[in-house]
Amino acid sequence: MKKRILVTGGAGFIGSHLCERLLAAGHEVLCVDNFFTGAKANIVHLANIVHLMDNPYFEIIRHDICFPLYVEVDEIYNLACPASPIHYQKDPVQTTKVSVLGSINMLGLAKRLRIKILQASTSEVYGDPEVHPQPESYLGECKSHWAESVLR
């Protein structure tokens, strides 16, 4: 069954590949990104395969999910948030807004539409791991007293 799927952070590395996979599976994809760290170049690689930008099942919207988004979709994949220390340290306030307000807005949209949402995160929240690969029981190697108190 074809679904209309929202991918926030869809211009990022993982988001752009997810868009590609969802299109290949026959779904309509609504890619939303504010291009804070993502790049239109990440989307272009898709055009080399299926001429994505001309694909009638692909739509890209420049939007910051810190502000409500009113769309009709069947599923949400929320990948919007700077994942690299270089990017999130550049503007920690914006990073926090996306993580909190953006997530709240996407959860509100999912609730209103009564649909599933996948909320992604980054492994950065666990710090620099001492164990590779990390089992589910691994609590991380935190250098922050606040983060350590939350994880422990």
Side-chain angles (χ1 to χ4, degrees):
M1 182 174 113
K2 179 181 269 187
K3 295 179 182 177
R4 181 165 166 80
I5 301 174
L6 170 62
V7 179
T8 66
F13 179 77
I14 294 173
S16 64
H17 286 86
L18 176 60
C19 288
E20 180 178 22
R21 175 65 182 92
L22 293 170
L23 285 167
H27 300 294
E28 291 183 41
V29 175
L30 175 58
C31 170
V32 171
D33 206 295
N34 67 355
F35 298 106
F36 181 68
T37 62
K40 289 183 181 177
N42 288 339
I43 300 296
V44 172
H45 81 275
L46 301 174
N48 295 332
I49 300 168
V50 293
H51 305 289
L52 186 60
M53 301 314 255
D54 295 327
N55 186 326
Y57 300 113
F58 181 80
E59 183 178 355
I60 185 162
I61 298 175
R62 183 179 201 134
H63 179 80
D64 185 340
I65 65 163
C66 291
F67 301 95
L69 180 65
Y70 301 100
V71 294
E72 300 296 321
V73 293
D74 301 309
E75 289 180 357
I76 300 171
Y77 291 82
N78 187 15
L79 309 178
C81 190
S84 163
I86 293 169
H87 291 117
Y88 61 69
Q89 290 171 359
K90 178 176 131 185
D91 192 345
V93 173
Q94 178 62 22
T95 299
T96 302
K97 284 181 176 180
V98 171
S99 296
V100 177
L101 297 175
S103 296
I104 289 169
N105 286 331
M106 291 303 101
L107 288 166
L109 178 62
K111 181 179 179 181
R112 180 178 68 80
L113 297 173
R114 296 183 174 156
I115 60 172
K116 292 180 182 180
I117 181 171
L118 177 122
Q119 177 63 49
S121 183
T122 171
S123 62
E124 289 294 321
V125 300
Y126 298 107
D128 197 13
E130 294 179 331
V131 179
H132 295 281
Q134 295 83 44
E136 288 295 322
S137 60
Y138 184 69
L139 296 177
E141 182 57 32
C142 297
K143 300 299 183 204
S144 159
H145 294 295
W146 174 84
E148 189 170 324
S149 70
V150 171
L151 287 173
R152 307 258 185 234

